[in-house]
Amino acid sequence: MDRSSVTVPKPPKREVVRIKVISMGEAGCGKSCLIKRYCEEKFVQKYISTIGVDFGVKSVVVDNNQVKVNFWDLAGADEYFEVRNEFYRDAQGAMLVFDVADRASFEKLDTWLDEAYKHGATRDMHVVVCGNKTDSKNREVKNKEAQGWASKHGFMYYETSAHSGDNVQTTFHALFSTIVRNLPKR
């Protein structure tokens, strides 16, 4: 048999799945640092407040699907409410972040959910609650309490440190997997 005439079929090209993920939480709880740690595998020591909304894209493979994650990093400061309320609509997933060393940021989680639902997020948006800054020595919110709050709302809960990178990859991948598994079949 003449091998020069044999053609090997190419595997079918995988369709790229696009998902929209938002970050929510009080200013200074580490939302932007978590995203930067995940996307660029580095930590920015100096605190720079997000002005309005920041945007980024990262390609990942989730459950054998090529996925482009569109990150919308929403500023946590009150003065950006009018800007960020335009970005809740069509979000398939959210990182709801608080600082384990700042009880007030934990106590505001319900406020963030209310704002999201009031401005277009749907109840089927997949949410991961993220207790960040676990490297802090002044912990104010215990794991069990935060786990209970997340469970009561039907959300996954993870503890992370953007500083050390601890559990960051796992947290993001859990969210992406949940979103992709629940996308409507094409």
Side-chain angles (χ1 to χ4, degrees):
M1 178 172 169
D2 180 12
R3 294 197 182 271
S4 63
S5 64
V6 175
T7 57
V8 177
K10 292 182 181 178
K13 189 173 181 178
R14 289 191 288 187
E15 184 177 337
V16 175
V17 176
R18 294 182 182 278
I19 60 175
K20 178 180 178 181
V21 173
I22 59 175
S23 67
M24 303 185 297
E26 291 296 288
C29 68
K31 301 177 299 294
S32 300
C33 288
L34 281 168
I35 293 170
K36 184 166 270 316
R37 171 60 83 172
Y38 176 74
C39 292
E40 300 175 24
E41 297 184 17
K42 65 181 180 181
F43 179 72
V44 177
Q45 191 70 38
K46 184 178 179 198
Y47 175 69
I48 302 170
S49 179
T50 301
I51 298 174
V53 176
D54 198 3
F55 175 76
V57 177
K58 178 152 175 104
S59 292
V60 297
V61 175
V62 178
D63 300 333
N64 206 27
N65 295 289
Q66 186 64 41
V67 178
K68 281 207 185 227
V69 181
N70 295 309
F71 288 103
W72 294 91
D73 183 17
L74 308 183
D78 290 339
E79 60 263 27
Y80 297 115
F81 167 76
E82 292 298 327
V83 174
R84 71 176 175 257
N85 72 19
E86 299 294 322
F87 294 91
Y88 291 114
R89 185 170 270 98
D90 300 323
Q92 292 143 314
M95 299 284 298
L96 182 56
V97 183
F98 72 95
D99 175 350
V100 298
D102 179 4
R103 174 155 290 281
S105 71
F106 175 71
E107 291 173 351
K108 288 287 207 113
L109 294 180
D110 282 309
T111 303
W112 281 99
L113 279 179
D114 292 344
E115 179 180 302
Y117 294 141
K118 181 178 177 183
H119 294 284
T122 62
R123 300 281 174 174
D124 62 350
M125 175 177 70
H126 302 284
V127 177
V128 167
V129 179
C130 184
N132 194 33
K133 301 188 182 181
T134 55
D135 53 301
S136 175
K137 291 179 176 39
N138 302 319
R139 187 174 184 130
E140 294 181 4
V141 181
K142 300 290 184 218
N143 179 297
K144 187 173 181 176
E145 179 182 13
Q147 180 70 49
W149 187 93
S151 180
K152 179 179 88 172
H153 288 83
F155 302 149
M156 296 178 281
Y157 177 68
Y158 290 89
E159 293 197 337
T160 59
S161 168
H163 184 263
S164 70
D166 186 44
N167 222 18
V168 173
Q169 296 281 329
T170 301
T171 302
F172 278 90
H173 284 278
L175 178 59
F176 303 157
S177 292
T178 301
I179 294 168
V180 170
R181 279 194 312 266
N182 289 285
L183 287 173
K185 300 296 180 216
R186 297 175 187 218

